[in-house]
Amino acid sequence: MTNDDDDFLAGYDPRAFPPVAVTVDVVAFTIRDGRLHVLLVRRAAPPQQDAWALPGGFVGEWEDLPTAAARELAEETGVATAHRRLHLEQLATYGTPDRDPRMRIVSVAYLAFAPHLPDPVAGSDARAAAWMPMDDLPTPLAFDHATILADGLDRARSKLEYSPLATRFVGEEFTIAELRAVYETVWGEPLHAGNFHRKVLSVPGFVESTGATTERGGARGGPRAKLYRAGDAQLLHPALLMPSREDTVR
């Protein structure tokens, strides 16, 4: 820092500018009983007391954004980001002036995914916490959280096309059928089993064989399914496109 900086900061008055607060909100997805679920909390205090909302809260004065997102997720729901297979990434920033009645608040939203996430336990300023199926959400959600959630779902669907994100929704070892179920659940579209199997194995580094098989065959008998693990690819090339988008993209 230079002397000019010292002189400038000595006379700088942050109160000359309108106050702005920063919050984080977390869109956390998992799959339960073949349905896509999102983690919601019921607000324990005004504004919008008792409304369902995304987990989140104010960023601490000396706290960075990912740390704040992890803390709020743990404090409000008991879901810890230390979960070994949890994926957490920044989604978008929301700053409409009237999005919160208290003051000008800018929210940085995060997206989280993992398989087999536990039942949440409400804490902090949340009255309740629950995994809610995406096809049966309570309405309306607090603030602009419906918009944030819709953006999170769009991001998740698109990331499944060009990244190996789907492997975050299954265990460390999985069958191609289990992977296909993730795509069908998140995309909300049925997929042809044979075509999907062929496409997955044609993408370099997407999955790799473990050399093992399931203990039993399918529900109708037949051979045991091969087991795979996530490969080392960071991007899928060629991408796996949603069936409803294939004609418009190609």
Side-chain angles (χ1 to χ4, degrees):
M1 186 177 294
T2 66
N3 290 334
D4 289 341
D5 290 333
D6 291 336
D7 293 341
F8 168 76
L9 292 174
Y12 182 77
D13 183 6
R15 294 171 297 179
F17 301 92
V20 177
V22 179
T23 61
V24 289
D25 291 301
V26 181
V27 181
F29 288 126
T30 197
I31 294 177
R32 291 185 157 207
D33 300 322
R35 301 168 75 187
L36 185 64
H37 285 63
V38 65
L39 185 58
L40 297 179
V41 298
R42 188 185 286 275
R43 292 180 56 80
Q48 301 193 31
Q49 185 175 356
D50 289 328
W52 287 96
L54 297 169
F58 288 93
V59 177
E61 184 176 4
W62 301 108
E63 192 174 36
D64 67 3
L65 295 172
T67 301
R71 174 183 55 76
E72 286 291 343
L73 191 59
E75 287 181 356
E76 289 196 340
T77 70
V79 175
T81 56
H83 186 286
R84 192 159 51 94
R85 292 184 52 76
L86 186 76
H87 173 87
L88 185 69
E89 67 174 65
Q90 194 173 122
L91 171 63
T93 303
Y94 300 83
T96 303
D98 61 352
R99 62 180 303 274
D100 192 301
R102 290 169 289 189
M103 61 183 296
R104 181 69 187 275
I105 294 179
V106 174
S107 177
V108 181
Y110 279 79
L111 201 54
F113 312 92
H116 316 307
L117 285 173
D119 289 330
V121 178
S124 182
D125 55 355
R127 177 167 293 172
W131 289 107
M132 297 284 190
M134 283 293 295
D135 55 4
D136 190 22
L137 292 176
T139 56
L141 296 182
F143 309 114
D144 55 356
H145 289 190
T147 297
I148 299 174
L149 178 53
D151 291 346
L153 181 59
D154 285 345
R155 170 74 69 83
R157 285 174 168 170
S158 65
K159 288 204 68 153
L160 258 61
E161 292 187 322
Y162 64 84
S163 83
L165 179 63
T167 60
R168 295 283 186 166
F169 283 95
V170 291
E172 291 191 11
E173 295 186 351
F174 51 86
T175 66
I176 298 297
E178 290 171 336
L179 191 65
R180 186 180 77 252
V182 171
Y183 276 87
E184 291 179 329
T185 301
V186 177
W187 282 352
E189 299 183 8
L191 300 173
H192 186 278
N195 288 343
F196 180 82
H197 193 284
R198 175 181 53 80
K199 289 178 180 179
V200 167
L201 296 186
S202 70
V203 178
F206 185 11
V207 299
E208 59 184 34
S209 174
T210 66
T213 62
T214 56
E215 293 183 1
R216 298 184 181 89
R220 299 181 180 179
R224 294 181 292 180
K226 294 180 179 179
L227 289 172
Y228 295 83
R229 65 171 67 93
D232 58 3
Q234 300 299 309
L235 294 174
L236 304 186
H237 184 73
L240 277 67
L241 300 179
M242 290 180 63
S244 58
R245 278 179 20 93
E246 285 184 340
D247 290 340
T248 59
V249 173
R250 287 175 174 158

